[in-house]
Amino acid sequence: MTLPSHQPVMKLLRAAIDPASHRTDASSPADLPTGRLIAATAHADADDQGMTRLSLLGAGTAMAAFGLTLEIAARNEQEPGAFLDSLAEASQARGDREFPLAVDVIRRMFSDGFADGAEILGSTFARSEQEFLTLLLHLANYCGTTIQLLETQFGTPMEDTLQDLSNALQDTDTPA
């Protein structure tokens, strides 16, 4: 039997393409569709006194961000590292102090596979659950923005990208 870890990730990615998830005037993450899904996952884990759902959601969203980075960098004829450098510079120029951690997760996945990205996710959760939830929100929003860019800049329908991600994530479902 497998644990369908890709299904909650796909729900989160669908929420991340909703423009309402990118509102800058939200008073809290709970006001965003992505924030509500992440919070519901955290509450379900708390009810079970665990963190399985959040761990799977974090890992799946990071894997989606990794794959989307490969795709968008290739389409822009850039190396993934150079693309991530440009993201980090843009977020720094905006004064965003939280998004660079999401970039670090993706970057570390390129340097040593998924283990380094997972290490950042785990250490962030151990340090602060709130910081982890914010990191997850940033990763989801990055995925949503990238999916939208693939459609608007390169003509790849969002549904095609979502299906490709679903297939890739389904292939990585873990045994229960």
Side-chain angles (χ1 to χ4, degrees):
M1 181 176 155
T2 60
L3 188 64
S5 62
H6 74 286
Q7 292 173 0
V9 174
M10 294 312 300
K11 276 186 168 180
L12 183 60
L13 295 180
R14 286 191 177 283
I17 61 175
D18 182 340
S21 286
H22 300 272
R23 290 183 28 230
T24 56
D25 64 339
S27 59
S28 85
D31 294 337
L32 307 171
T34 47
R36 285 191 294 274
L37 281 171
I38 293 167
T41 302
H43 289 298
D45 270 353
D47 289 346
D48 291 344
Q49 299 177 350
M51 61 176 271
T52 302
R53 291 175 190 89
L54 274 178
S55 295
L56 292 173
L57 192 61
T61 305
M63 290 174 65
F66 174 83
L68 288 165
T69 299
L70 281 173
E71 186 65 24
I72 199 80
R75 299 274 184 103
N76 283 315
E77 298 179 357
Q78 286 183 292
E79 290 296 318
F83 178 75
L84 291 170
D85 288 345
S86 66
L87 281 180
E89 289 172 18
S91 69
Q92 191 173 36
R94 286 190 316 267
D96 187 343
R97 297 175 195 267
E98 296 172 331
F99 182 71
L101 187 56
V103 174
D104 285 345
V105 169
I106 302 165
R107 184 185 314 278
R108 298 274 293 277
M109 291 173 78
F110 279 99
S111 68
D112 191 28
F114 296 111
D116 273 357
E119 181 181 313
I120 292 175
L121 291 169
S123 65
T124 302
F125 187 86
R127 184 174 52 251
S128 164
E129 186 176 340
Q130 187 58 45
E131 189 178 343
F132 176 81
L133 298 176
T134 300
L135 171 57
L136 190 51
L137 184 68
H138 284 296
L139 284 169
N141 287 342
Y142 167 77
C143 289
T145 299
T146 305
I147 292 166
Q148 291 169 342
L149 285 174
L150 286 169
E151 181 172 81
T152 60
Q153 288 187 350
F154 301 104
T156 304
M158 285 189 269
E159 284 303 319
D160 290 356
T161 301
L162 288 166
Q163 185 61 52
D164 289 345
L165 288 168
S166 179
N167 292 341
L169 292 170
Q170 191 169 4
D171 289 344
T172 63
D173 278 353
T174 55

